[in-house]
Amino acid sequence: MDQLLHHLRHLGFTEMESKIMVELARQGSASGYEVAKRLGVSRSNVYATLQRLEQRGFLRCSAGEPAKYSVLKPEEMTSMISGQMRASLEYVQSSMPQHEPEKPVFYNIEGDKNVFENLSRELAEAKHEIVVDVWREEAELLRADLQRAEDRGVRLLWSCDGGEGIMDQPAPWPGLPPYGAGNGRKFSLVVDRRWCMLGMRGESCATQAMVTEHPVMTGLLLNHFAQELVLYELEQDMGEELESRYGPRYQNLSARYWSVPSE
């Protein structure tokens, strides 16, 4: 009995409703007075509960004086409850306000396994474009994921070299550590112009990466990528002229901004 009452309450019936329904199922039919007497509770509470259950469709009331109540068959009752719950669940699912859980603006990932698993998941979700700026070692590790993305119709934009860009190693200011200190290879990827990863990896340093969907960071990486491509095209077209005017790797030009000021 206690188990049955427990499950009825779990389905949303009150203690009094559950006891009345069980009692009517046991007796077949009974008047409000008979139910109250058997349960040992006040008739006013019983009558109010009987009317409420009848209005909800779980009880039938016979004509006559006194009126007699009977409960639905178990299969009828459970079918009715199931239908009502299904309708409520469908309504809640379609009508509940939806809000995407907030992600951290920036978060860090450490270790080869974590970094490349995170990258694989994101590359698998790419729909339009992937911008890749990596060294050849990392390019080989990403080749299969990028090939699958390209097979789906995703546009791939590559920059894959040894880091010989114009501003690769600017001279430090006094008292500041060298830019890019360490032996790691820097890499960056931008997916669909909304998600990006910027990291470092190498034999003598731990693999680490920063991940974000912040538009400022994705914009910076895309701008840097575009500038690298423009410089590459200029080098192909005007290599000797650039070197004669600005020096190898444009040292005379970069010195305007990165050299140590004279005292």
Side-chain angles (χ1 to χ4, degrees):
M1 173 66 71
D2 290 341
Q3 192 90 359
L4 178 56
L5 293 174
H6 167 77
H7 284 287
L8 285 169
R9 290 195 300 271
H10 188 67
L11 291 171
F13 295 102
T14 66
E15 181 89 14
M16 179 67 74
E17 289 170 343
S18 301
K19 289 182 176 180
I20 287 175
M21 292 169 69
V22 172
E23 183 60 32
L24 289 174
R26 182 187 292 114
Q27 298 297 325
S29 67
S31 65
Y33 170 80
E34 292 170 331
V35 172
K37 184 176 180 182
R38 291 193 180 112
L39 294 179
V41 295
S42 69
R43 282 181 288 175
S44 60
N45 286 343
V46 169
Y47 283 123
T49 303
L50 287 168
Q51 290 175 3
R52 186 165 63 249
L53 287 170
E54 182 190 5
Q55 290 170 357
R56 292 172 60 190
F58 293 108
L59 299 185
R60 296 189 179 96
C61 180
S62 65
E65 190 60 39
K68 296 232 175 182
Y69 295 88
S70 59
V71 70
L72 297 180
K73 293 180 180 178
E75 59 271 22
E76 294 176 324
M77 184 193 313
T78 54
S79 177
M80 177 185 266
I81 294 170
S82 177
Q84 291 174 350
M85 292 189 71
R86 191 180 309 111
S88 294
L89 289 171
E90 290 173 356
Y91 181 82
V92 168
Q93 182 175 335
S94 62
S95 304
M96 180 70 75
Q98 296 187 31
H99 178 71
E100 288 293 325
E102 293 187 3
K103 297 180 180 178
V105 178
F106 298 92
Y107 61 96
N108 295 321
I109 305 175
E110 296 185 358
D112 253 20
K113 183 175 183 293
N114 292 333
V115 167
F116 283 98
E117 283 183 352
N118 195 288
L119 263 177
S120 293
R121 286 195 300 269
E122 201 65 34
L123 294 176
E125 296 295 323
K127 294 179 174 60
H128 308 292
E129 176 188 86
I130 301 173
V131 175
V132 186
D133 190 355
V134 297
W135 289 47
R136 297 190 185 278
E137 289 86 344
E138 285 65 51
E140 287 300 320
L141 294 173
L142 295 170
R143 186 173 299 279
D145 288 319
L146 293 170
Q147 183 63 59
R148 283 191 288 270
E150 193 170 35
D151 292 342
R152 299 195 309 270
V154 177
R155 183 173 73 153
L156 295 185
L157 298 175
W158 282 85
S159 175
C160 183
D161 58 27
E164 292 295 322
I166 179 174
M167 298 298 181
D168 183 51
Q169 289 291 340
W173 287 73
L176 294 180
Y179 168 81
N183 298 318
R185 298 183 297 272
K186 303 175 190 67
F187 63 88
S188 67
L189 294 95
V190 181
V191 176
D192 291 336
R193 303 193 179 188
R194 59 161 187 83
W195 180 97
C196 66
M197 176 183 282
L198 175 63
M200 179 179 286
R201 180 177 183 269
E203 288 73 21
S204 59
C205 73
T207 301
Q208 294 185 347
M210 180 194 70
V211 176
T212 183
E213 293 187 16
H214 199 293
V216 170
M217 183 57 70
T218 55
L220 285 173
L221 290 178
L222 289 172
N223 287 340
H224 175 73
F225 182 83
Q227 290 165 9
E228 279 194 338
L229 293 184
V230 170
L231 287 171
Y232 175 78
E233 294 292 341
L234 288 173
E235 287 174 350
Q236 300 306 302
D237 293 341
M238 305 171 60
E240 291 184 3
E241 183 178 344
L242 285 171
E243 186 168 328
S244 64
R245 182 169 180 180
Y246 296 111
R249 295 184 63 201
Y250 318 154
Q251 288 177 357
N252 296 337
L253 178 59
S254 61
R256 299 178 188 177
Y257 306 99
W258 297 114
S259 61
V260 177
S262 59
E263 296 183 1

